[in-house]
Amino acid sequence: SVKILYKKHNSNLPKNMVKLLKIEIKERRVCFQPNILWKIMNIILFGAPGAGKGTQAKELIKKYEIPQISTGDILRGAIANKTPLGLEAKKLMDQGQLVSDEIVNGLVEARLQEADCEKGFILDGFPRTVAQAEELDKIMKKIGKEIDKVIALEVSDDEIIERITGRRVSKVTGKIYHIKYNPPVDEKLEDLEQRADDNEETVKKRLAVYNEQTAPVLDFYKKQNKVYEVDGAQGLENITKDIIEILEK
């Protein structure tokens, strides 16, 4: 039983997993491998473009060894592997058309059933609309899983604009800098350039789309009592600390 496994293997658990041993015996949402016991965590990282979702996802991957899943990565993988849905998506993209929700949802469903998602996953940038969130709930029910927590990184539009418009890329080394937060030390300023879509006008348009289409997804999950808000304007280490505290309580 789960209780026996807990008693037998508790001493072998890494320190950072101790808090996760508040096990819901009823749900049996527990994975077991020799000497390791952990609670499954299916997470959505939520926030505007530039809020820092990718940065925090990397920290969570290192700590919990669960995959970060984005629709962009799934699409590229499906196209590279020439899966039926991947080929269909490529055909639409080659024609300059948007990939339909039906295809995206199908790709997400397939990805969430892969072996590396057994002990959890981090969804980054999906769902983007309430319709996708509703479909994700259906997918999760179908495959016998559920979303546990939605971590919302709260960052003001002004902060987002400053973060993105301040990014620069070196034409020489390809390294990414920020003129305020991470200026180059050993490169010439004239060798730095701003990406075309990092200008203020484009960023404001992206934020407008986010606020209109994606922000309402939070309300969808708030009704399920799954949303946990984190101050995304504080230091990176503090953001990570806050997220871990939420996940482990």
Side-chain angles (χ1 to χ4, degrees), residues 1 6 14 29 34 37 39 43 45 50 61 83 85 91 94 108 141 144 154 157 183 188-189 206 217 226 230 235:
S1 72
Y6 171 82
R29 300 189 67 248
L37 186 67
K39 180 181 175 185
I43 308 159
L45 272 183
I61 290 167
T83 68
L85 285 175
K91 183 179 178 182
D94 288 346
V108 169
K141 186 175 181 180
E154 297 291 312
D157 284 2
K188 299 176 181 178
L189 290 177
R206 290 169 65 192
V217 174
K226 292 182 177 179
V230 173

Side-chain angles (χ1 to χ4, degrees), residues 47-51 53 153 155-165 197 199-216:
K53 300 186 296 298
L153 297 178
V155 184
S156 70
D157 284 2
D158 287 343
E159 173 74 12
I160 293 287
I161 291 169
E162 182 179 49
R163 285 184 184 182
I164 297 178
T165 59
D197 57 353
N199 65 79
E200 186 169 342
E201 182 182 356
T202 302
V203 175
K204 285 182 176 179
K205 286 180 180 177
R206 290 169 65 192
L207 284 171
V209 171
Y210 170 82
N211 289 325
E212 180 183 343
Q213 296 183 7
T214 307

Side-chain angles (χ1 to χ4, degrees), residues 53-103:
K53 300 186 296 298
T55 300
Q56 293 305 318
K58 289 186 179 75
E59 296 302 315
L60 298 180
I61 290 167
K62 284 191 291 185
K63 186 170 182 65
Y64 299 115
E65 297 181 352
I66 55 178
Q68 174 191 8
I69 298 172
S70 72
T71 50
D73 290 340
I74 295 174
L75 273 171
R76 284 187 287 272
I79 291 170
N81 293 325
K82 297 183 178 180
T83 68
L85 285 175
L87 292 173
E88 198 173 339
K90 185 177 187 303
K91 183 179 178 182
L92 289 170
M93 292 167 70
D94 288 346
Q95 294 172 354
Q97 299 181 41
L98 293 174
V99 179
S100 69
D101 274 1
E102 185 179 1
I103 293 175

Side-chain angles (χ1 to χ4, degrees), residues 106-120:
L107 290 169
V108 169
E109 180 177 346
R111 179 67 183 89
L112 295 183
Q113 294 181 79
E114 292 184 18
D116 63 340
C117 292
E118 284 184 3
K119 62 176 183 174

Side-chain angles (χ1 to χ4, degrees), residues 131-171:
Q132 287 183 344
E134 291 172 344
E135 190 60 33
L136 179 60
D137 269 8
K138 293 177 185 176
I139 290 171
M140 298 298 283
K141 186 175 181 180
K142 180 179 176 182
I143 64 178
K145 299 181 180 183
E146 69 173 313
I147 296 299
D148 295 303
K149 293 179 179 179
V150 178
I151 307 298
L153 297 178
E154 297 291 312
V155 184
S156 70
D157 284 2
D158 287 343
E159 173 74 12
I160 293 287
I161 291 169
E162 182 179 49
R163 285 184 184 182
I164 297 178
T165 59
R167 287 194 300 218
R168 297 291 186 274
V169 181
S170 170
K171 292 181 285 187

